Amino acid sequence: MKTLICGSMAYDTIMVFEDRFQHHILPEKIHSLSVAFLVPTLRKEFGGTAGNIAYNLNLLGTDPLIMATVGHDFTEYQQRLESLNISTRYIRHLNDNFTAQAFITTDLDDNQITAFHPGAMNFSQLNQVEEAEHVSFGVVSPDGKQGMIEHASSFVKQGIPFLFDPGQGLPMFSGEELLNFIEQASYFAVNDYEAQLLVDKTQLSIEDLAQRVEAAVVTKGAEGSVIYTNNETIHIPAVRAENIVDPTGCGDAYRAGLIYGITHGWSWAKAGRLAALMGSLKIGHRGGQNHHYSLVEITTQFRQHFDLDLYT
């Protein structure tokens, strides 16, 4: 049985600003903001939430399915996925559109300013969850708005538990719409900023929202993460990274570890620790998919950090 990841496939153009945004953005002039950042470092990467999660699940030895809409410029990405033996069966090509594009500027404090062109992602509702075979777990991650709504509903109709991971798509939805997602989902995961936005929109605390799912996860970067489940609060420590290079895709790597733990019936404490390790392994590399670890290496590091075996 497989995990179906509904979400974005994107090309990321990542630029590094060799200073701090705070030195160049004047709070008293925010109403007339006009700034330019010199970015001597630029690179293009394979990205998108669905692509990044699938990449990390593939590192963990699983065979994920991606459901996404892409454009006429997807050929290079398609070839990459095929070289990694990641299925492209449920990726729909729309030749009149570009594949989604993210333009990310990162400063020396790892703050990010992102511009995002959705392109073919706007038509994600053309994909139907019902078409995917042998699916036992689902993910609804940032995608076209209507697609996210329909995919969540379809998972419920199919009796498939799913993780709601709104990410940067969260601002698209009203409080009522977000509550509807949470009522349908088995789990939801957000970072601490998204958690506050979720609270503001729904007028409910994270603890209250967690009562509506089997588990709610809030990641807090270097402070670790918190899992709320069964009236219990589980604190997951962060894994200290050997090198902190680029935060792009760390949340997706974390979610892959979490999904692996859920689908293998692990305790939340163990699943959260694998998630933390995957995020730490990613942050030492540029881009969302440039960290290369064998399953043996991941297993060894998991044992070294937590004195736990990946398979017991």
Side-chain angles (χ1 to χ4, degrees), residues 294-312:
S294 69
L295 190 54
V296 171
E297 290 172 321
I298 294 172
T299 301
T300 299
Q301 291 215 31
F302 190 63
R303 187 180 298 114
Q304 289 174 344
H305 284 286
F306 301 116
D307 196 26
L308 292 170
D309 195 302
L310 205 61
Y311 300 108
T312 60

Side-chain angles (χ1 to χ4, degrees), residues 79 103 202 206 221 279:
Q79 292 171 345
F103 300 89
T202 63
I206 286 294

Side-chain angles (χ1 to χ4, degrees), residues 142-296:
D143 211 345
K145 180 176 181 178
Q146 191 59 35
M148 291 178 70
I149 292 170
E150 293 185 14
H151 296 155
S153 178
S154 294
F155 278 127
V156 174
K157 290 176 182 177
Q158 295 293 307
I160 299 171
F162 73 91
L163 170 71
F164 178 48
D165 172 26
Q168 293 178 335
L170 197 154
M172 293 191 296
F173 300 101
S174 67
E176 182 179 355
E177 289 169 327
L178 291 167
L179 278 175
N180 191 46
F181 276 117
I182 290 169
E183 294 284 0
Q184 294 178 97
S186 297
Y187 320 92
F188 72 83
V190 290
N191 64 29
D192 51 354
Y193 177 83
E194 294 157 359
Q196 186 58 56
L197 187 58
L198 190 60
V199 167
D200 292 344
K201 281 178 169 281
T202 63
Q203 295 298 295
L204 292 171
S205 69
I206 286 294
E207 291 81 4
D208 289 337
L209 292 168
Q211 295 292 323
R212 301 170 185 240
V213 290
E214 292 182 35
V217 182
V218 179
T219 60
K220 299 184 176 185
E223 297 178 15
S225 54
V226 181
I227 300 175
Y228 301 89
T229 180
N230 294 325
N231 294 314
E232 183 181 5
T233 301
I234 302 170
H235 295 272
I236 305 297
V239 174
R240 184 181 297 276
E242 292 184 9
N243 296 294
I244 298 176
V245 177
D246 181 8
T248 306
C250 286
D252 299 328
Y254 180 102
R255 282 149 181 73
L258 194 71
I259 292 163
Y260 185 96
I262 293 171
T263 56
H264 284 76
W266 287 6
S267 70
W268 286 108
K270 184 176 180 180
R273 281 163 169 76
L274 177 61
L277 174 62
M278 295 301 292
S280 174
L281 295 177
K282 205 285 353 142
I283 204 169
H285 300 78
R286 299 287 183 191
Q289 299 179 23
N290 289 324
H291 50 300
H292 306 290
Y293 294 92
S294 69
L295 190 54
V296 171

